[in-house]
Amino acid sequence: MASLSFVSLPSLSSSHHNTSTHLILRTPKSLKLRTANPRAVSVKALTLTQDDLKKLAADKAVEYVKSGMVLGLGTGSTAAFVVAKLGDLLKSGQLTDIVGIPTSKRTEEQARSLGIPLSILDDHPRLDLAIDGADEVDPDLNLVKGRGGALLREKIVEAASDKFVVVADDTKLVTGLGGSGLAMPVEVVQFCWKYNLVRLQDLFKEEGVEAKLRLKDDGKPYVTDNSNYIVDLYFKTPIKDGLAAGKEISALEGVVEHGLFLDMATAVIIAGKDGVNVKDK
């Protein structure tokens, strides 16, 4: 894995079975970020919001985009900054002939409103690059994604991409996946969803994981773009073996996809109050 590069901060102007396997959880190594520029600009006097940091990461990620590329367009608040920047570059003529493959209906709507040409994966089965946000990033660039509800389409599009660049602010860094204590989503079919919720809960029973059906503000179940439900898993300690956990979750009949994005990212761009750090493989 390559060392981190540093970018000075710019100014801001505005196979199935039924057996459940016991999975051991632990807290892995911590993430250590290094900056390559010892003369980095001090920004202690600036008050940066989380949106400011997301925009910084998004602006850096768009530098990977070249004219003529077919791009996977991610979903979520950080990815929305990426899409907005792409729209600006197209409008100014700095980018031309790009095609976007959106990972959700709301990303599609945003991209269309900005004049970004769109297509579907069936017509472009190999993408040059995908850019998306993440809910958690561990030291090995493994991710938790899907709190925005688009995990299935995101995983399909990003697996089809030659490069997958992740944009995040430093609040998304964890020592191990599940370490934030926030939701790790599992998309399930509506049929017998409670049966699968119980099975997911039982899979991590001894670790005290809590499984909850995701609900909308009106109390009704959240429905994905694929007409499925989401069961959110809340871990009390980080997952020791993400690959094993992912396989066990996927082996449950009725599970469509999970939010563990393992060994997929080629680079992660992390914005913090001292600048933008790029970590790649």
Side-chain angles (χ1 to χ4, degrees):
M1 187 175 291
S3 62
L4 296 169
S5 61
F6 183 88
V7 181
S8 296
L9 184 67
S11 61
L12 295 175
S13 58
S14 30
S15 64
H16 294 266
H17 57 79
N18 295 316
T19 303
S20 293
T21 299
H22 172 62
L23 299 175
I24 302 172
L25 307 180
R26 66 157 173 80
T27 302
K29 60 187 178 182
S30 61
L31 175 62
K32 295 181 179 180
L33 295 177
R34 295 188 294 111
T35 56
N37 184 355
R39 295 178 296 175
V41 177
S42 174
V43 293
K44 292 182 179 179
L46 293 177
T47 300
L48 299 178
T49 67
Q50 193 172 16
D51 278 350
D52 291 332
L53 298 177
K54 290 176 180 180
K55 185 177 185 300
L56 288 171
D59 288 350
K60 178 62 181 175
V62 172
E63 294 179 14
Y64 286 78
V65 180
K66 308 298 179 186
S67 294
M69 279 188 168
V70 180
L71 305 170
L73 306 178
T75 295
S77 57
T78 308
F81 284 113
V82 173
V83 176
K85 183 68 173 182
L86 290 172
D88 289 342
L89 294 175
L90 276 175
K91 185 176 181 180
S92 68
Q94 296 177 71
L95 275 180
T96 59
D97 301 321
I98 66 169
V99 176
I101 311 296
T103 56
S104 67
K105 292 178 181 178
R106 63 182 178 273
T107 297
E108 178 181 356
E109 291 170 358
Q110 181 193 12
R112 287 195 189 283
S113 73
L114 297 171
I116 299 174
L118 299 178
S119 187
I120 58 175
L121 196 59
D122 289 339
D123 293 336
H124 296 274
R126 198 70 213 169
L127 282 63
D128 298 297
L129 171 69
I131 304 176
D132 204 352
D135 300 309
E136 294 183 0
V137 181
D138 82 357
D140 297 318
L141 307 191
N142 293 314
L143 318 169
V144 166
K145 288 178 50 55
R147 290 183 191 144
L151 60 155
L152 175 58
R153 296 191 185 190
E154 288 173 337
K155 190 170 285 190
I156 293 171
V157 169
E158 287 149 14
S161 302
D162 290 338
K163 293 182 179 180
F164 173 29
V165 174
V166 177
V167 288
D169 64 87
D170 57 5
T171 65
K172 303 302 191 295
L173 299 176
V174 295
T175 57
L177 298 183
S180 69
L182 300 176
M184 197 289 282
V186 180
E187 188 164 343
V188 301
V189 298
Q190 293 190 32
F191 177 73
C192 294
W193 65 265
K194 187 176 293 185
Y195 169 68
N196 271 318
L197 182 149
V198 171
R199 292 204 294 174
L200 287 164
Q201 177 99 38
D202 187 62
L203 186 61
F204 300 96
K205 182 177 181 179
E206 293 188 15
E207 288 78 23
V209 170
E210 187 173 10
K212 293 182 178 180
L213 179 69
R214 184 177 297 189
L215 303 176
K216 298 186 296 183
D217 291 339
D218 61 6
K220 295 180 180 179
Y222 175 90
V223 179
T224 71
D225 286 348
N226 316 291
S227 300
N228 297 314
Y229 287 171
I230 288 180
V231 173
D232 287 319
L233 304 182
Y234 296 86
F235 292 88
K236 293 185 178 179
T237 54
I239 301 170
K240 177 183 177 181
D241 189 336
L243 184 61
K247 287 181 177 179
E248 291 298 323
I249 293 170
S250 295
L252 300 177
E253 298 82 3
V255 165
V256 179
E257 191 51 82
H258 57 74
L260 297 173
F261 284 55
L262 309 174
D263 197 28
M264 293 182 66
T266 52
V268 177
I269 298 170
I270 303 163
K273 291 179 172 57
D274 292 326
V276 178
N277 292 289
V278 182
K279 189 177 183 182
D280 53 30
K281 291 185 177 180

